[in-house]
Amino acid sequence: MKFADLIAAKRDGKSHTYEELKFLANGASNGSIPDYQLSAWLMAAYLNSLDEEETSHLTRAMAESGARLDLSGLPKPWVDKHSTGGVGDKTTLVLLPILASAGLTVVKMSGRGLGITGGTVDKLGSIPGFRLDLTPDEMKRQAAEIGLALTGQSPDLAPADKVLYALRDVTATVGSIPLIVSSILSKKIAGGAEIIALDVKCGSGAFMEDRKSAEKLARALQSVGKRLGLHVLVSISDMDEPLGSAIGNALEVREAYNVLAGKHEGASERFLKLCLHYASELLTACGSRSSAEEVLKSGAALAKFKEWILAQGGSSFWERNDLPVAPVIRKVVHTGGPAWVSKVEAKVVGQAVIDLGGGRAKKEDAIDPAVGIEMAVMVGSTVKAGESLFTVHAADEQVAAEAEESARSGIHFSDERVEEPPLILASF
């Protein structure tokens, strides 16, 4: 089989067989197909797309391009969760302890953040000592002991995805829905999960900015997942405004801890709603009689969170108070008359955090885990002169001033009453 023939076939709008896509995935993972040919195929696939059957074939082939995590022996059901990424999205840090406390087994691989979308690995990496390099055996052993384990993406699992994703990023082919679906689901299959909750973000702070595109992706994830034997639960959630109050790695860890500890007023309440939505969806799908709200109120989820952090070598930051802290903390207040907050642009606030050093413009960029922004208002809030809008956590006064100006430009006001917008836009 010659890969040039596959390029030509997709260039001409023809369909691929499973054998052809397995050849592609294996060639990507072992390096036998050069990057320039893979890039040519990616552009052909972007322009002429893949149908649902091809997408299923590619997903399966990518999952089989490397090792697969064997969860046999662990208590069932085996569940996982994935978000398409957003500003201030730290849902995993609250959701996983709730699920594990209710008796589910959660083994998860997570990635680093890029652009305005933060990464779970970066957030947990702000906890001193926390390990993100667990081996498959360590993950399985820990999951057997406490019900959950999380690590950075392993090069051994779905290696074809790593190669293709890197090429998509530099060939302007990231936006292909079949390629997005294959990337997400191949890693989930390789990770061993049977029931998966997928959070498709929609809005200015998400990859899918409009509802039509988000629904198209959500439906594709569910239908391809079903073809491959997965039980996939998909919801579309709002990402026009940041999720929760904290945007920035250590700040988000602290917010997640506070929510588990029962402190979730204001924007944190909206964040908690999303965590409870997915916890309830997964518990119901698994036939559990546990209530997500009851698990949270009982303190079991908070205890599980602490157990999880310590199990992976992390500091007991809730006692030691040793999360990174920025040297400059600047509170920003409202200077106008009484008003309702009509918009908080997630994209603008997220970019301000990147400019502070809290995110990556390029994959190789280093990040400062201490910096970020804490929002004191959300859409629907009322404010008066002198009341807090947000707090900037920065490395120095100059970048703090720049972030203040930038983030302030993303907050809009109205003289008329504004209601809090819906959080869950659709479920499938």
Side-chain angles (χ1 to χ4, degrees):
M1 191 179 299
K2 295 181 179 179
F3 192 68
D5 294 337
L6 273 68
I7 298 172
K10 187 47 64 178
R11 177 200 64 197
D12 296 337
K14 297 178 181 178
S15 296
H16 290 311
T17 64
Y18 170 72
E19 289 71 24
E20 289 173 330
L21 291 170
K22 186 170 181 64
F23 177 67
L24 181 155
N26 289 340
S29 63
N30 64 28
S32 62
I33 300 175
D35 284 357
Y36 60 84
Q37 283 192 311
L38 291 171
S39 297
W41 181 85
L42 286 169
M43 184 55 72
Y46 180 88
L47 294 173
N48 290 320
S49 196
L50 304 176
D51 62 27
E52 188 175 292
E53 184 174 36
E54 287 177 289
T55 306
S56 301
H57 289 335
L58 178 61
T59 303
R60 179 183 160 202
M62 288 166 60
E64 294 174 347
S65 66
R68 294 179 67 172
L69 197 58
D70 179 12
L71 302 183
S72 59
L74 295 180
K76 286 195 174 188
W78 306 328
V79 300
D80 199 351
K81 166 263 176 189
H82 177 82
S83 168
T84 57
V87 177
D89 183 7
K90 72 288 291 180
T91 307
T92 293
L93 279 63
V94 171
L95 178 61
L96 267 57
I98 293 175
L99 297 174
S101 297
L104 308 189
T105 298
V106 193
V107 178
K108 179 171 174 57
M109 290 186 297
S110 289
R112 302 192 306 165
L114 183 63
I116 61 173
T117 60
T120 300
V121 162
D122 297 320
K123 302 178 204 303
L124 289 168
S126 70
I127 302 173
F130 191 89
R131 283 190 60 200
L132 289 157
D133 60 350
L134 301 183
T135 66
D137 285 344
E138 287 175 320
M139 291 180 71
K140 189 172 179 179
R141 189 181 316 119
Q142 181 176 306
E145 292 172 356
I146 68 171
L148 76 146
L150 182 149
T151 192
Q153 291 179 355
S154 167
D156 298 327
L157 300 178
D161 174 67
K162 182 178 181 180
V163 174
L164 293 178
Y165 188 90
L167 291 174
R168 285 167 56 209
D169 194 43
V170 296
T171 56
T173 56
V174 171
S176 164
I177 284 181
L179 295 179
I180 295 171
V181 169
S182 294
S183 177
I184 292 172
L185 293 182
S186 64
K187 292 192 288 285
K188 297 306 173 188
I189 293 170
E194 297 176 320
I195 304 176
I196 305 166
L198 299 176
D199 181 15
V200 176
K201 299 293 188 187
C202 177
S204 73
F207 184 72
M208 295 295 175
E209 294 191 18
D210 63 274
R211 179 74 172 265
K212 184 177 179 180
S213 297
E215 288 190 357
K216 186 176 180 182
L217 174 58
R219 293 184 187 281
L221 284 164
Q222 189 171 60
S223 59
V224 172
K226 186 176 181 180
R227 274 177 172 260
L228 294 169
L230 300 174
H231 186 170
V232 179
L233 309 166
V234 191
S235 292
I236 300 173
S237 64
D238 173 61
M239 189 36 70
D240 266 335
E241 65 178 306
L243 182 64
S245 62
I247 307 99
N249 295 291
L251 297 174
E252 292 186 45
V253 169
R254 175 60 67 184
E255 183 182 13
Y257 177 84
N258 286 339
V259 165
L260 287 165
K263 303 172 186 177
H264 40 76
E265 63 280 348
S268 290
E269 184 70 32
R270 186 171 170 86
F271 160 54
L272 173 60
K273 285 180 183 177
L274 189 71
C275 297
L276 292 177
H277 168 79
Y278 283 109
S280 298
E281 290 270 296
L282 284 165
L283 288 170
T284 299
C286 294
S288 172
R289 295 184 178 180
S290 297
S291 160
E293 290 88 347
E294 290 174 0
V295 168
L296 189 68
K297 288 179 181 178
S298 71
L302 177 61
K304 183 64 68 175
F305 175 86
K306 292 178 178 180
E307 187 179 21
W308 171 30
I309 300 305
L310 296 176
Q312 293 194 213
S315 162
S316 53
F317 66 84
W318 49 90
E319 295 175 347
R320 300 165 62 94
N321 202 28
D322 57 355
L323 287 177
V325 177
V328 175
I329 300 176
R330 176 184 294 206
K331 183 178 178 180
V332 180
V333 302
H334 182 51
T335 57
W340 278 269
V341 176
S342 60
K343 182 183 291 187
V344 180
E345 297 184 66
K347 190 172 186 177
V348 172
V349 177
Q351 185 59 52
V353 172
I354 291 178
D355 295 339
L356 283 166
R360 296 182 182 84
K362 303 185 297 297
K363 287 184 178 180
E364 61 270 19
D365 289 348
I367 61 171
D368 183 342
V371 303
I373 291 175
E374 286 184 289
M375 300 300 304
V377 297
M378 55 189 284
V379 175
S381 297
T382 57
V383 288
K384 299 176 183 177
E387 291 184 340
S388 177
L389 293 176
F390 57 90
T391 300
V392 176
H393 298 250
D396 60 55
E397 292 288 354
Q398 181 179 343
V399 293
E402 292 169 353
E404 174 184 343
E405 181 180 1
S406 178
R408 191 189 284 273
S409 72
I411 303 176
H412 304 265
F413 305 95
S414 173
D415 294 331
E416 298 181 357
R417 184 179 185 87
V418 176
E419 300 291 341
E420 179 184 336
L423 177 60
I424 302 299
L425 304 180
S427 292
F428 299 87

